[in-house]
Amino acid sequence: MIWPDAWRTPALFLREWLGRPAVVGALCPSSPYLARRMARAVPAGDGLVIELGGGTGAVTRALLDCGVARERLVVIERSPVFAGHLRARFPGVAIVQGDAARLEKLLPPDTPVDAIVSCLPLRSLPRADVTAIVDQCHRLLSSHGVMIQFTYDLRPPGHYAIGHTGLVTSETCVVWANIPPARVVIARRRP
């Protein structure tokens, strides 16, 4: 059976979720509303924009549509299936198949990073992995850089922390037009 394009991406996402629900973290891809909200938080600049957990490319598409240059974008995706899908969908974008817990080893050394856009399910990953990921994000971000994370925890931001004392929440909002609704948290380096 040949599936129409509109069904291929959700079907791919569902197959990966069924195989590894704790790693994929959601039953369906991020909505265009959530993806655009995250992409709009990326600052202008010349440094890299790192996307963690590219999945099927909803946020990748929004980052490109919001003006992030292809040569500035690096997408880290652990799943070989998703990484292959992203390479086919976004030629010219650096798609790196690897584990975000080893982020510093996956990037060119001494490259300035203006934004880290994380679609990782930090609340369902092992604590050691979360610590490794967030510590590396803190070290990699330039002084004006931001980390953008979403969570399905809709409680006020005081109940949700990205998990590093060197990063402080500077902005947060709930995107109701997502299934399920999601909170976007934007953190900056502590002054």
Side-chain angles (χ1 to χ4, degrees), residues 43-62:
D46 296 324
L48 292 179
V49 175
I50 310 297
E51 181 186 356
L52 302 179
T56 57
V59 174
T60 309
R61 173 82 274 143

Side-chain angles (χ1 to χ4, degrees), residues 167-181:
L167 296 172
V168 293
T169 300
S170 64
E171 187 181 338
T172 182
C173 70
V174 175
V175 177
W176 296 103
N178 192 69
I179 300 174

